[in-house]
């Protein structure tokens, strides 16, 4: 009888945890959270969770100015980790896969400002959260990443990167969902900056989403 009660109790706990994650990662709430974090409108078309995978579709990060094209569009994103991992103080994520992404940088004619200035400034703000939670991502993979640079009066510059892979990334403490999104965006911006030699407003990595003491800090 005790064993049966234990099994039923565990099942109830897992069911409640699943409902909690469904609430936390719902498309509407995630859109609101990311919009607040980035200081611009973010929409998530669909959020689906399973026991081992969270999947998101049609993510659009608008540019601060409505007249500009979206700063970022992601067709599909997958987070692979057992469901209970997201409830732990250390969230171990086996893999984050980002597919069919378009990152667009729109400069003014003098290249002194662009549509990512406000977004990265908001990302660098300290969170009010006192959480000691953080995430460890074993593998971060971008498939088919397109980087576009638009400067008035000049032809558009575009490059397509078939695949980018990063291993063993540790986020700093705070809201895990926020830190994971920071990691994804910073990696794309960092590589866009280096690959196309364009001036992008990237903050000091030691003050960014990565733990500066981590041996896996990709900015070292």
């Amino acid at each position: 009888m005790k064993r049966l009660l234990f099994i039923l109790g565990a099942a109830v706990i897992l069911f409640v945890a699943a409902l909690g994650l469904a609430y936390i990662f719902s498309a509407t709430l995630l859109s609101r959270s990311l919009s607040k974090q980035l200081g611009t409108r973010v929409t998530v078309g669909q959020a689906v969770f399973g026991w081992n995978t969270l999947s998101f579709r049609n993510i659009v990060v608008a540019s601060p100015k409505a007249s500009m094209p979206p700063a970022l569009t992601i067709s599909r994103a997958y987070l692979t980790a057992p469901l209970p991992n997201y409830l732990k103080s250390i969230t171990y994520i086996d893999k984050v896969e980002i597919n069919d992404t378009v990152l667009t940088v729109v400069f003014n004619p003098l290249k002194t400002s662009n549509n990512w200035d406000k977004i990265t400034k908001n990302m660098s703000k300290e969170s009010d959260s006192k959480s000691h939670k953080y995430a460890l991502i074993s593998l971060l993979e971008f498939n088919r990443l397109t980087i576009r640079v638009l400067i008035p009066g000049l032809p558009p510059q575009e490059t397509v990167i078939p695949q980018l892979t990063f291993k063993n990334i540790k986020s700093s403490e705070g809201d895990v969902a926020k830190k994971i999104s920071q990691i994804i965006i910073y990696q794309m911006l960092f590589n866009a900056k280096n690959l196309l030699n364009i001036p992008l407003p990237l903050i000091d990595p030691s003050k960014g989403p990565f733990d500066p003491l981590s041996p896996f800090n990709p900015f070292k």
Side-chain angles (χ1 to χ4, degrees), residues 21 28 45 59 78 97 122 128 138 156 160 163 169 171 187 205 219:
L21 285 173
T28 301
I59 302 171
Y78 303 93
E97 180 181 341
N122 285 319
D128 295 331
S138 297
V160 179
Q163 187 177 71
I169 301 175
S171 77
Q187 286 290 6
F219 288 99

Side-chain angles (χ1 to χ4, degrees), residues 153-171:
L154 297 176
Q157 184 179 359
E158 180 176 304
T159 187
V160 179
I161 306 169
Q163 187 177 71
L164 281 174
T165 303
F166 306 91
K167 296 181 178 180
N168 300 321
I169 301 175
K170 177 184 177 181
S171 77

Side-chain angles (χ1 to χ4, degrees), residues 1 14 25 37 40 43 61 65-66 74-76 79 99 101 113 115 120 123 126 131 137 139 152-153 163 172 177 200:
M1 178 61 71
L14 289 175
F25 289 102
Q37 173 193 337
T40 188
T43 57
V61 178
K65 291 184 179 180
I74 298 175
S75 179
R76 294 185 180 184
L79 278 71
N99 294 333
T101 301
S113 65
N115 59 328
T120 54
M123 286 176 61
E126 291 295 329
S131 172
I137 302 174
L139 182 66
Q163 187 177 71
S172 58
L200 280 173

Side-chain angles (χ1 to χ4, degrees), residues 1-212:
M1 178 61 71
K2 289 183 178 180
R3 184 177 181 182
L4 178 60
L5 290 175
F6 175 79
I7 293 174
L8 289 175
V12 170
I13 291 173
L14 289 175
F15 179 71
V16 171
L19 289 178
L21 285 173
Y23 177 78
I24 292 171
F25 289 102
S26 72
T28 301
L29 288 176
L30 190 58
S31 297
R32 291 176 182 173
S33 175
L34 291 174
S35 296
K36 182 179 180 180
Q37 173 193 337
L38 301 181
T40 188
R41 180 177 175 79
V42 179
T43 57
V44 180
Q46 184 183 54
V48 179
F49 74 98
W51 183 255
N52 289 304
T53 304
L54 296 174
S55 64
F56 308 94
R57 293 190 180 189
N58 302 324
I59 302 171
V60 180
V61 178
S63 292
K65 291 184 179 180
S67 59
M68 295 181 177
L72 181 68
T73 62
I74 298 175
S75 179
R76 294 185 180 184
Y78 303 93
L79 278 71
T80 303
L83 206 58
N85 279 19
Y86 297 97
L87 304 176
K88 299 177 180 178
S89 58
I90 304 175
T91 302
Y92 292 97
I93 300 175
D94 299 323
K95 183 179 181 181
V96 176
E97 180 181 341
I98 312 294
N99 294 333
D100 300 307
T101 301
V102 179
L103 172 68
T104 302
V105 184
V106 185
F107 285 99
N108 66 358
L110 298 178
K111 294 177 67 175
T112 56
S113 65
N114 64 73
N115 59 328
W116 278 97
D117 286 341
K118 181 180 178 181
I119 298 175
T120 54
K121 183 178 180 180
N122 285 319
M123 286 176 61
S124 66
K125 290 180 180 178
E126 291 295 329
S127 173
D128 295 331
S129 172
K130 302 297 183 180
S131 172
H132 294 293
K133 297 182 67 175
Y134 61 90
L136 287 171
I137 302 174
S138 297
L139 182 66
L140 172 60
E141 182 177 281
F142 296 98
N143 296 309
R144 298 173 299 278
L145 169 61
T146 300
I147 302 172
R148 292 175 180 165
V149 179
L150 305 178
I151 303 173
L154 297 176
Q157 184 179 359
E158 180 176 304
T159 187
V160 179
I161 306 169
Q163 187 177 71
L164 281 174
T165 303
F166 306 91
K167 296 181 178 180
N168 300 321
I169 301 175
K170 177 184 177 181
S171 77
S172 58
E173 295 178 349
D175 178 70
V176 170
K178 175 179 179 178
K179 294 302 180 181
I180 292 173
S181 64
Q182 284 181 327
I183 286 174
I184 292 169
I185 292 176
Y186 266 78
Q187 286 290 6
M188 282 189 285
L189 288 174
F190 184 73
N191 282 279
K193 177 183 177 71
N194 287 343
L195 290 169
L196 300 184
N197 193 27
I198 54 179
L200 280 173
L202 291 179
I203 62 173
D204 183 345
S206 66
K207 300 177 182 178
F210 302 99
D211 181 351

